[in-house]
Amino acid sequence: MKILKHLLLIVSSILTLFLFSSRVAASELSLETSSELGFNVIPSLSINYKHDDNITNTKNNQQASNLIEIMPALRIEGQKYNNKFILDYTGQQALYSENAENNYTDHQLKAELNRASNSRHQLAISYQFNLAHDAVNTGISEGNKQVTAPSRFYNQQVALSYVYGRQSSQARLKPRFSFNNKRYDKDNSSYTPMADFNEYDYGLAFDYHIGASLNLLLDISNRVSNYQGTANQKDSNNSLLYTGIHWNISGKTQGIVKIGYEKINFSDSHRESQANPSWDIGINWHPKTYSIFNINATQKITNAVTGTDSIEANRKSISWKHTWRYNLSSSLAYQHLNETYQHSAREDKSNAINLMLSYQLRYWLAFGLSYEHQSKSSSEVHLGYDKSIYGLTSSLVF
């Protein structure tokens, strides 16, 4: 009965949007009209019907459920002289038919301003706010069988970056700074102040042009993390030094390879520092204009949500997007994550596969099929699980 109500709500939403778009067309209002005023307004809506065979992310006593995802979005972008701005909003609501406790509503708001005072100086400022959640048995509720609902939190980030040097200059300097914080809702049954933090990240990158499409780079960064309610026990200072190259060859392939050294020190003298090799690799390859491959590999030290001090995270991923014809496209992605918990015997291995097939029925309407499989194994056996999610998707862009 609940699913029927949700379907009726979806149908009414689609009809409302269709009628709205018809009125807009009839009155000859369009994105081209708004662009004459210096900005574009792009609203969109995605509605997905899915089946999740393990909504509690557990190894035993798994529970399956159908769900509906409703994801409205609004993008405003524009340019005035040398100033470019973007305002993005995305919402996501999930409604579960078998267990309403798993329902959630997430919001994301991002604003970005880019200013080029002249060809030598470029400044970018951005702000992002997320009201989101940890799914059951993930994040702060991991391994806690008493938690039956998502754990709510918000986080926000302010970032400032500057580039000195022309695009064609042989050398360019790129200083940057960002502030990030995260706070969990104290009403969460799994709440712990040890997961709340403030984070300050600052760094400097130096590019040196050595060929038609090749640059050498040096990147230095430092991240300071201050945790709430831990009497400075988890506070840390993470330093990174990278060297490497990045390139762009005839639009066919772009990439960056950074290899270096990372060290994390803790304010608590009883906690041992950790030092590891680190790398960050990203390659984008276009063998054809209608086919794109992305390959990524990273190894970094991340802060643990609870429990141990830090995690050595080794992540690898590959994705392929292909347009079979003007209105039919597909995407395939695979990711592997290996997490080694420092000063602990725990080690986790996670794999994820995503498959998507999309059919563009109209320029403003697309339908699709989706499949996602997640698997996690851990030396702490009760934390492992497998799940599959099947979906019918729809997307409307106005």
Side-chain angles (χ1 to χ4, degrees):
M1 190 65 181
K2 292 180 180 179
I3 287 294
L4 180 59
K5 292 179 180 178
H6 297 330
L7 288 173
L8 290 173
L9 175 63
I10 290 172
V11 172
S12 63
S13 299
I14 293 175
L15 288 174
T16 300
L17 287 167
F18 179 77
L19 291 173
F20 172 76
S21 64
S22 298
R23 290 173 186 150
V24 169
S27 60
E28 296 183 351
L29 291 176
S30 67
L31 296 182
E32 293 180 1
T33 304
S34 61
S35 65
E36 292 176 2
L37 302 177
F39 64 91
N40 289 331
V41 180
I42 308 171
S44 62
L45 176 67
S46 295
I47 302 173
N48 308 322
Y49 183 81
K50 295 184 175 181
H51 176 80
D52 186 336
D53 66 8
N54 186 4
I55 62 174
T56 53
N57 304 307
T58 53
K59 189 176 185 66
N60 302 310
N61 301 317
Q62 298 178 0
Q63 182 181 359
S65 177
N66 298 319
L67 67 138
I68 291 174
E69 290 179 342
I70 304 172
M71 296 183 290
L74 177 66
R75 181 180 180 89
I76 302 174
E77 56 184 26
Q79 181 170 354
K80 187 71 171 179
Y81 304 116
N82 293 326
N83 301 308
K84 296 180 181 179
F85 67 90
I86 297 173
L87 180 64
D88 264 325
Y89 166 77
T90 304
Q92 180 173 0
Q93 183 178 50
L95 305 170
Y96 289 79
S97 63
E98 304 301 324
N99 189 338
E101 279 190 293
N102 277 268
N103 292 355
Y104 64 84
T105 303
D106 292 347
H107 303 274
Q108 181 183 91
L109 179 67
K110 184 175 182 180
E112 184 176 339
L113 174 65
N114 292 275
R115 176 176 173 79
S117 55
N118 57 51
S119 59
R120 287 182 180 272
H121 304 277
Q122 299 172 52
L123 181 68
I125 303 172
S126 67
Y127 172 78
Q128 182 169 316
F129 177 84
N130 297 304
L131 184 60
H133 73 284
D134 288 338
V136 175
N137 198 36
T138 68
I140 61 173
S141 69
E142 186 178 51
N144 188 345
K145 296 181 180 179
Q146 306 304 314
V147 177
T148 57
S151 302
R152 305 291 302 165
F153 67 83
Y154 80 81
N155 74 285
Q156 55 186 340
Q157 182 183 61
V158 180
L160 175 66
S161 63
Y162 170 74
V163 178
Y164 175 74
R166 294 187 179 93
Q167 189 71 29
S168 58
S169 298
Q170 188 166 28
R172 297 203 299 171
L173 282 175
K174 302 177 181 179
R176 63 185 183 273
F177 171 79
S178 67
F179 167 76
N180 180 39
N181 74 344
K182 188 174 187 178
R183 295 290 186 274
Y184 279 89
D185 190 334
K186 293 183 179 179
D187 292 334
N188 293 324
S189 57
S190 54
Y191 174 75
T192 170
M194 293 181 66
D196 295 340
F197 65 84
N198 294 330
E199 197 170 78
Y200 307 85
D201 197 324
Y202 50 92
L204 175 65
F206 175 74
D207 276 5
Y208 188 78
H209 187 64
I210 60 173
S213 59
L214 186 64
N215 286 47
L216 292 178
L217 66 86
L218 180 68
D219 195 320
I220 304 170
S221 66
N222 196 74
R223 186 179 73 238
V224 178
S225 301
N226 297 323
Y227 282 81
Q228 310 299 300
T230 63
N232 299 325
Q233 292 179 0
K234 285 187 66 178
D235 290 0
S236 63
N237 189 82
N238 188 312
S239 300
L240 254 170
L241 174 62
Y242 280 135
T243 186
I245 58 173
H246 64 90
W247 68 89
N248 185 345
I249 302 175
S250 304
K252 288 282 188 180
T253 176
Q254 304 87 38
I256 184 167
V257 176
K258 298 192 295 185
I259 299 175
Y261 184 77
E262 183 176 18
K263 185 175 183 180
I264 183 169
N265 294 305
F266 295 92
S267 299
D268 184 354
S269 59
H270 295 95
R271 296 176 180 247
E272 295 182 17
S273 62
Q274 178 190 351
N276 285 328
S278 181
W279 54 80
D280 192 344
I281 300 170
I283 299 173
N284 184 281
W285 178 44
H286 299 244
K288 300 290 183 181
T289 56
Y290 49 82
S291 196
I292 304 172
F293 289 88
N294 284 286
I295 301 172
N296 294 278
T298 62
Q299 178 166 289
K300 293 184 178 180
I301 299 173
T302 62
N303 293 320
V305 177
T306 57
T308 190
D309 305 329
S310 59
I311 304 170
E312 179 188 296
N314 189 305
R315 189 187 306 270
K316 305 178 185 71
S317 67
I318 183 170
S319 65
W320 174 44
K321 295 182 179 179
H322 189 85
T323 301
W324 300 96
R325 49 177 299 177
Y326 73 96
N327 60 353
L328 183 65
S329 61
S330 67
S331 64
L332 175 64
Y334 169 76
Q335 178 178 279
H336 173 78
L337 174 62
N338 192 94
E339 296 174 297
T340 303
Y341 285 69
Q342 303 304 300
H343 313 304
S344 169
R346 179 178 171 183
E347 183 176 7
D348 294 354
K349 295 182 179 181
S350 303
N351 294 281
I353 297 174
N354 290 271
L355 177 63
M356 180 77 183
L357 183 66
S358 179
Y359 178 73
Q360 197 79 31
L361 183 64
R362 295 287 186 272
Y363 73 93
W364 53 270
L365 176 63
F367 293 101
L369 299 173
S370 67
Y371 171 75
E372 179 180 357
H373 180 76
Q374 301 174 16
S375 66
K376 180 178 180 178
S377 61
S378 175
S379 53
E380 298 186 19
V381 181
H382 66 287
L383 298 179
Y385 66 89
D386 286 272
K387 69 184 302 179
S388 293
I389 305 173
Y390 308 86
L392 298 172
T393 65
S394 66
S395 178
L396 301 93
V397 179
F398 303 95

